[in-house]
């Protein structure tokens, strides 16, 4: 692996920020209903991810289909249920965020939806996780910044205020997706999980569009180009470059860099659509970025402290369906040491709670790394008993 900060990694991070920043401007530039665009984005994503899944994880798909893996056993229905809830939260995120880009400015929409780490930290605190003063400071700054930036919309009311509220709802739904994904991903690869969430999102949005009578065809040329741009830029190029960059840099660094989406998207909206940023909202937007940055960096420091040897108190229950590593039977000449005999497999399981897989998502992009439980694996070619 090349060292961090090499030119190729820098290029990947720049491509990631620019490509993902195109999400809001492309959505706002279309003329079709935002829910219709959300449906087609997930539908096109599934069309692309499906063949990739069969190419990269064909054996996994076959085993899941035949029920040979634990993925379809009785004790795995609960994680599957949480996966369905996570996909539903993701559909809500798409619907709220993409609608907000039509009702408020692109800068406000992207800044408010970028508060997802704030809501994620609040959800973790509600679940009993310890929250540092630094994190609470960042939360406070982000909330004050959001209120200050939305001050003009609050005074004027109307669609702009509704767009701000929808952007915040999109951030909250994204945080819910992250928390639910953490509980659902037990032994599922990233391609399979991403394909599953795209399929569920597409089907749910299809039902909503059908019930609401929203047309899904007959789009003008501008909307067609916007949909193509959403597929190529944030969905494929952005996430592909992000995957590459995450192998060379930390998830915290990438999360902070993605906060540049707000100014980049605002510049794109100004250049392509003539949208201007109100000077009165600039201090609030900056406070949001600073607050979210503090939240992200404080979480990184807490994880580093635990890795240096701090005692963990938030070890989650070890899943019943997860493989258990049996203690080795002592043999002559190889006595079983006490530390090995008392080793708790939940310690290894808990270590994954702070991985980029379960903590780092963006605009419904899903997990960006494969999470697997530690323990002996049965070879692909060996039959399971």
């Amino acid at each position: 692996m090349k060292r961090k900060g090499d030119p190729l990694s820098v290029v990947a991070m720049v491509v990631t920020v620019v490509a993902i920043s195109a999400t809001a401007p492309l959505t706002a530039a279309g003329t079709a209903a935002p829910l219709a665009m959300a449906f087609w984005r997930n539908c096109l994503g599934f069309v692309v991810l499906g063949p990739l899944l069969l190419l990269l994880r064909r054996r996994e798909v076959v085993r899941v289909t035949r029920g040979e893996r634990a993925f379809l056993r009785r004790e795995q229905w609960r994680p599957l249920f949480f996966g369905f809830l996570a996909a539903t939260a993701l559909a809500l995120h798409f619907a709220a965020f993409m609608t907000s880009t039509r009702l408020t400015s692109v800068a406000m929409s992207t800044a408010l939806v970028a508060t997802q780490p704030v809501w994620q930290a609040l959800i973790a605190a509600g679940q009993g996780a310890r929250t540092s003063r630094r994190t609470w400071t960042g939360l406070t700054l982000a909330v004050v910044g959001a209120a200050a930036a939305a001050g003009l919309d609050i005074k004027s009311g109307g669609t702009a205020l509704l767009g701000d509220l929808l952007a915040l709802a999109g951030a909250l739904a994204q945080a819910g997706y992250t928390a639910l994904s953490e509980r659902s991903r037990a032994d599922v690869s990233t391609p399979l999980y991403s394909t599953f969430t795209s399929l569920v999102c597409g089907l749910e949005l299809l039902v909503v569009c059908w019930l609401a009578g929203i047309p899904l065809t007959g789009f003008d040329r501008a909307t067609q180009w916007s949909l193509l741009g959403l597929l190529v830029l944030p969905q494929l190029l952005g996430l592909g470059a992000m995957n590459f960059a995450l192998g060379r840099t930390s998830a915290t660094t990438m999360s902070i860099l993605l906060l540049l989406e707000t100014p980049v998207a605002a510049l794109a909206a100004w250049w392509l659509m003539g949208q201007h940023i109100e000077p009165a909202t600039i201090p609030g937007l900056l406070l949001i970025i600073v607050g979210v940055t503090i939240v992200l960096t404080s979480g990184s420091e807490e994880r580093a402290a635990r890795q240096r040897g701090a005692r963990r108190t938030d070890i989650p229950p070890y899943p019943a369906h997860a493989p258990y590593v049996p203690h080795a039977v002592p043999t002559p000449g190889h006595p079983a040491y006490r530390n090995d005999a008392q080793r708790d497999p939940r310690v290894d399981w808990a270590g994954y709670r702070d991985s980029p897989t379960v903590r780092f998502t963006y605009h419904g992009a899903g997990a960006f790394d494969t999470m697997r439980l530690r323990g002996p694996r049965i070879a692909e070619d060996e039959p399971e008993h």
Side-chain angles (χ1 to χ4, degrees):
M1 179 183 294
K2 296 182 179 180
R3 61 181 178 86
K4 299 178 181 179
D6 64 306
L8 198 57
S9 301
V10 173
V11 171
M13 289 186 283
V14 171
V15 171
T16 299
V17 173
V18 173
I20 291 183
S21 299
T23 302
L26 287 173
T27 304
T31 58
L35 288 177
M37 296 190 68
F39 161 74
W40 279 111
R41 175 176 177 175
N42 283 275
C43 180
L44 294 175
F46 174 75
V47 170
V48 174
L49 289 174
L52 289 178
L53 175 65
L54 295 177
L55 179 64
L56 300 175
R57 291 289 190 275
R58 182 177 60 85
R59 292 183 178 180
E60 182 181 15
V61 174
V62 171
R63 291 190 172 189
V64 168
T65 303
R66 294 177 179 176
E68 296 178 3
R69 291 191 58 165
F71 186 75
L72 290 182
R73 293 176 184 170
R74 180 178 301 175
E75 56 268 17
Q76 189 68 330
W77 283 110
R78 186 169 179 268
L80 184 61
F81 172 72
F82 280 109
F84 177 81
L85 292 181
T88 302
L90 180 57
L92 292 175
H93 163 78
F94 278 123
F97 169 61
M98 298 181 76
T99 303
S100 70
T101 60
R102 303 286 184 86
L103 301 178
T104 187
S105 66
V106 168
M108 281 296 299
S109 179
T110 53
L112 292 176
V113 84
T115 60
Q116 179 263 334
V118 173
W119 302 106
Q120 183 66 45
L122 289 175
I123 291 175
Q127 293 175 341
R130 294 183 178 180
T131 304
S132 64
R133 291 183 179 179
R134 181 183 175 90
T135 301
W136 284 116
T137 302
L139 293 173
T140 303
L141 289 177
V143 171
V144 171
L152 295 178
D153 294 340
I154 294 174
K155 292 180 180 179
S156 61
T159 58
L161 178 59
L162 178 59
D164 295 346
L165 294 176
L166 284 174
L168 287 174
L172 181 58
Q174 177 76 2
Y177 166 75
T178 304
L180 290 167
S181 294
E182 180 178 345
R183 302 191 65 177
S184 64
R185 291 202 63 192
D187 192 22
V188 183
S189 68
T190 296
L192 178 58
Y193 189 77
S194 300
T195 305
F196 171 76
T197 53
S198 295
L199 175 61
V200 174
C201 283
L203 291 177
E204 290 179 341
L205 291 170
L206 175 63
V207 172
V208 172
C209 291
W210 176 68
L211 293 176
I214 299 175
L216 298 176
T217 57
F219 301 148
D220 58 15
R221 186 59 59 87
T223 301
Q224 294 175 1
W225 280 110
S226 295
L227 289 173
L228 181 62
L230 286 173
L231 175 64
V232 174
L233 292 177
Q235 195 76 21
L236 299 181
L237 183 60
L239 298 187
M242 185 185 297
N243 275 325
F244 180 84
L246 281 175
R248 298 163 177 249
T249 187
S250 67
T252 301
T253 300
M254 181 58 68
S255 298
I256 295 174
L257 285 175
L258 282 173
L259 293 176
L260 295 174
E261 180 192 10
T262 299
V264 173
L267 289 174
W270 168 75
W271 181 40
L272 299 175
M273 305 165 57
Q275 284 191 5
H276 297 279
I277 301 178
E278 295 291 341
T281 64
I282 294 179
L285 296 178
L286 293 177
L287 272 180
I288 292 174
I289 295 176
V290 171
V292 174
T293 302
I294 292 175
V295 172
L296 291 171
T297 54
S298 63
S300 177
E301 292 177 357
E302 291 172 2
R303 290 191 292 270
R306 287 197 297 266
Q307 291 175 357
R308 285 193 299 266
R311 185 175 180 269
R312 298 195 57 152
T313 60
D314 59 340
I315 297 178
Y318 191 67
H321 58 272
Y324 180 79
V325 183
H327 300 313
V329 178
T331 57
H334 296 82
Y337 293 95
R338 184 175 182 180
N339 289 338
D340 292 333
Q342 295 181 348
R343 183 173 183 82
D344 190 343
R346 294 179 299 174
V347 176
D348 286 339
W349 165 257
Y352 283 107
R353 288 175 60 86
D354 297 318
S355 70
T357 302
V358 296
R359 288 295 181 194
F360 182 51
T361 59
Y362 211 73
H363 284 331
F368 302 117
D369 194 10
T370 301
M371 178 177 69
R372 291 189 179 278
L373 297 177
R374 297 181 183 177
R377 290 288 176 190
I378 299 175
E380 291 288 343
D381 296 332
E382 294 179 5
E384 295 186 17
H385 299 288

